[in-house]
């Protein structure tokens, strides 16, 4: 036994558990705070969504729903994880740098934290605990 470890559980002694928690927590927060409200209040969201690239409110909202509903579900399950992070990262960067450039760090802290979470997931991948990995065993 390693003398430096005060407490150790073999199952919890893995970066893969951390990646699973990161994926599930990040996906839940994005889905719960942004994705589900966009679906439940689609008509209202259509009237108020920012359209920085002048694509039209409908297309902009559809792309936001892709990034805030479909992609978090893929990430939570570990399916196409790195690829699913890209629309989220793009949406967050546009939101923070184009739509709300005047926000302070305090005002935009949720966005910056989500950028950190999904950027980390994009760099590391899903880890061992994902649906594709479970199917391989």
């Amino acid at each position: 036994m390693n003398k430096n470890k005060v407490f150790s559980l073999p199952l919890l002694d893995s970066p893969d558990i951390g990646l699973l928690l990161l994926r599930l927590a990040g996906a839940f927060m994005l889905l719960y705070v942004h994705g589900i409200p966009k679906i439940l209040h689609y008509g209202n969201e259509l009237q108020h969504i920012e359209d920085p690239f002048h694509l039209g409110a409908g297309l902009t909202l559809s792309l936001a729903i892709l990034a805030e509903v479909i992609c978090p579900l893929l990430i939570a399950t570990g399916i196409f994880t790195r690829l699913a992070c890209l629309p989220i990262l793009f949406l967050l960067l546009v939101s923070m740098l184009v739509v709300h450039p005047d926000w302070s760090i305090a005002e935009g802290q949720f966005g910056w934290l989500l950028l950190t979470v999904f950027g980390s997931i994009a760099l590391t991948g899903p880890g061992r605990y994902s649906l594709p990995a479970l199917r391989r065993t």
Side-chain angles (χ1 to χ4, degrees):
M1 180 178 205
N2 188 343
K3 293 180 182 181
N4 295 330
K5 290 189 178 184
V6 177
F7 181 73
S8 177
L9 292 173
L11 178 66
L12 298 179
D13 194 23
S14 165
D16 295 303
I17 293 293
L19 290 172
L20 176 64
L21 177 62
L22 195 64
R23 284 190 357 251
L24 294 176
F28 172 77
M29 286 188 290
L30 184 58
L31 189 61
Y32 185 78
V33 174
H34 291 284
I36 291 173
K38 280 186 177 60
I39 290 174
L40 293 178
H41 309 289
Y42 183 85
N44 189 44
E45 292 286 334
L46 203 53
Q47 301 301 315
H48 295 100
I49 192 161
E50 300 282 343
D51 186 16
F53 301 120
H54 310 289
L55 301 172
L59 180 56
T60 300
L61 184 55
S62 296
L63 292 171
I65 289 171
L66 169 74
E68 295 175 348
V69 176
I70 305 302
C71 290
L73 293 173
L74 291 171
I75 290 167
T77 58
I79 299 171
F80 301 118
T81 305
R82 287 183 163 141
L83 184 62
C85 286
L86 297 180
I88 295 170
L89 293 172
F90 180 78
L91 177 81
L92 288 167
L93 285 170
V94 168
S95 176
M96 302 308 293
L97 301 176
V98 178
V99 176
H100 302 291
D102 54 328
W103 278 4
S104 68
I105 294 290
E107 291 170 313
Q109 66 181 313
F110 186 69
W112 293 113
L113 283 170
L114 288 177
L115 269 167
T116 302
V117 167
F118 291 107
S120 298
I121 295 168
L123 291 172
T124 61
R128 222 174 29 189
Y129 301 112
S130 66
L131 282 183
L134 290 174
R135 293 181 73 202
R136 285 190 292 265
T137 59

